[in-house]
Amino acid sequence: MPERRLPVKPDLDQLKNQAKDLLRAIRAGDQSAIAEFEQYHPKKIDPANAKLADAQLVLARSYEASSWTRLVQSCQLIDAIWRDDVEAVRNLVVSNPHLLHENAGIRNNNWGPPLSYAANLGRDRIITMLHELGATDLITALGRATLQSKIDTARMLHAMLGAPTPPAGSLGGPAYTLSAAGTALMFELGARVYDENGKPIAPADVVLETDSRKPSEKHAILEMYAAHGLTLPDTPTMALHRGRIDLLEEHLRRDPNLLRRRFTHEEIYPPEIGCHEDPHSTQGTPLAGTTLLHMCVDYDELEIAKWLIAHGMDVNEKASVDADGFGGHTALFATVVSQPNFWMNYQARPQAAPFTQLLLDHGADPNVRASLRKQLHPGYGPEPIREYRDVTPLSWGERFERKVFVSEPAMRLIAERGGHS
């Protein structure tokens, strides 16, 4: 059965339409709709006799709300917080005191109860009012404000808490969202990179493995970790993660074959700083066994990519091929399917393909073939590992299931240069 989660900013009109659609499906005899009706409706009612109120209740319970009224309250509360309407939030919470301590998004609990939700948006007046009404989720709110780079709000919450030393996990939120400002604030308030036993607790693994892509923020965070005493591996891949062309120049002096090297998963994601066995779901085109140029594309490191090419990098260098025959892709594949493409499409940023243009201008083969294996991020739900045999960069993009990862400008540029499926 569907297990629905409200979006961060739910639309009440859309939910009303969902309920009407569900009612129509029930009356039309749709088996999945009837099964959902029978699972979530608290009474034994013949689906043929269902009314709109019944469909609304079923829909609400599929979102884990106790009633349609509770689902409506959630939408109204969130809308009021976004509008910074202090009185509307106050009226809702005073009339329905349970809202003060429940997740604003019900099952979608990442943004927390109303006070924490408001912290995500920097709504200081609403936070103050809710705290006066008895909200107690200040620690969660502090973490959310830091994660979202709402620094003034975070300072206010820290003062409300009595100015405590940040706990061991306080650097994790800004590491995930790559918030340099949030990281700097946590260090200012006393966060440390090692615990009292000398164990590293700076989440460098999160900085490398997050699906966020903000190169300058990532560089700044890693440099802050290093400045506070965290030892980072002296490797070419870590130099790239840090955005340190000066370190890459030193590695190139030491290793003339650097630009032809293919790096293992463990070299890209060092286990000695806590990295995990396989975060490939936070990549676009797989990175294990690839070159520094492949890494540049998925981590949006355009200046380093230009530096590599200027120093003789062959844009047609292929990834290694594993025992099952997967790999052999060039960096051009990564310009078609990548994590930066996800953010470009998801956030409706200007459509551009600078890496594709760069590679093609330097002789990238638009019809090179490879075989790839890919599993999407767990946030998409249970996702199988899919196999794409003998694809070109264009057919890789055409066959990839989640188009939000695919760059249409990249595909157009490749087609213009003679690329085909």
Side-chain angles (χ1 to χ4, degrees), residues 51-68:
K51 296 180 172 59
L52 179 59
D54 297 310
Q56 290 174 334
L57 176 59
V58 167
L59 185 70
R61 292 201 164 193
S62 73
Y63 281 106
E64 214 172 67
S66 57
S67 65
W68 175 253

Side-chain angles (χ1 to χ4, degrees), residues 214-342:
K214 303 172 187 174
S216 62
E217 301 281 303
K218 175 185 175 183
H219 304 160
I221 291 171
L222 290 173
E223 293 309 305
M224 278 188 266
Y225 289 177
H228 282 81
L230 184 68
T231 300
L232 297 172
D234 180 21
T235 62
T237 51
M238 183 55 70
L240 187 149
H241 282 305
R242 295 173 71 174
R244 295 285 299 274
I245 288 178
D246 60 326
L247 297 180
L248 284 169
E249 288 174 340
E250 180 59 32
H251 282 289
L252 183 57
R253 281 193 291 271
R254 283 185 265 169
D255 179 9
N257 293 316
L258 176 64
L259 304 187
R260 291 186 292 277
R261 278 187 59 187
R262 294 163 180 81
F263 295 91
T264 65
H265 170 83
E266 290 73 21
E267 288 174 305
I268 299 171
Y269 301 101
E272 61 265 35
I273 62 169
C275 289
H276 304 91
E277 185 174 329
D278 192 6
H280 63 268
S281 62
T282 59
Q283 305 160 5
T285 299
L287 284 179
T290 63
T291 70
L292 293 174
L293 188 59
H294 291 76
M295 284 184 63
C296 283
V297 177
D298 202 72
Y299 278 97
D300 207 11
E301 298 281 2
L302 185 60
E303 294 309 310
I304 295 179
K306 291 177 179 177
W307 179 87
L308 291 168
I309 292 171
H311 283 73
M313 181 92 205
D314 181 356
V315 297
N316 288 308
E317 284 285 353
K318 296 181 178 180
S320 58
V321 179
D322 66 19
D324 297 321
F326 292 100
H329 50 290
T330 65
L332 192 62
F333 283 82
T335 74
V336 175
V337 176
S338 75
Q339 197 64 42
N341 292 343
F342 170 88

Side-chain angles (χ1 to χ4, degrees), residues 151-169:
I151 304 306
D152 291 340
T153 298
R155 290 186 190 280
M156 182 186 77
L157 288 162
H158 185 249
M160 286 180 173
L161 284 163
T165 299

Side-chain angles (χ1 to χ4, degrees), residues 3-141:
E3 185 179 277
R4 297 184 174 92
R5 294 180 184 274
L6 289 177
V8 168
K9 191 178 179 183
D11 184 326
L12 182 56
D13 288 336
Q14 191 176 71
L15 290 170
K16 290 177 179 177
N17 289 333
Q18 284 185 35
K20 292 175 183 175
D21 290 343
L22 177 61
L23 180 62
R24 279 192 289 269
I26 291 168
R27 288 176 172 173
D30 181 279
Q31 290 304 305
S32 63
I34 291 173
E36 185 176 7
F37 182 87
E38 292 175 345
Q39 176 180 348
Y40 288 111
H41 203 291
K43 297 180 180 178
K44 297 294 184 183
I45 296 176
D46 185 345
N49 298 325
K51 296 180 172 59
L52 179 59
D54 297 310
Q56 290 174 334
L57 176 59
V58 167
L59 185 70
R61 292 201 164 193
S62 73
Y63 281 106
E64 214 172 67
S66 57
S67 65
W68 175 253
T69 298
R70 175 66 183 87
L71 192 63
V72 170
Q73 289 170 350
S74 183
C75 295
Q76 293 172 335
L77 178 62
I78 290 172
D79 177 65
I81 294 172
W82 274 88
R83 291 186 288 104
D84 201 15
D85 189 334
V86 178
E87 289 310 308
V89 174
R90 184 197 302 276
N91 290 338
L92 277 164
V93 171
V94 169
S95 301
N96 307 279
H98 59 90
L99 295 177
L100 191 64
H101 305 292
E102 296 177 0
N103 287 317
I106 309 175
R107 176 182 280 128
N108 189 352
N109 58 9
N110 285 343
W111 281 41
L115 188 147
S116 291
Y117 194 105
N120 286 276
L121 301 174
R123 303 295 192 252
D124 294 356
R125 296 184 306 147
I126 291 176
I127 291 169
T128 301
M129 179 270 294
L130 291 173
H131 185 231
E132 291 171 351
L133 289 178
T136 58
D137 51 309
L138 294 177
I139 294 176
T140 300

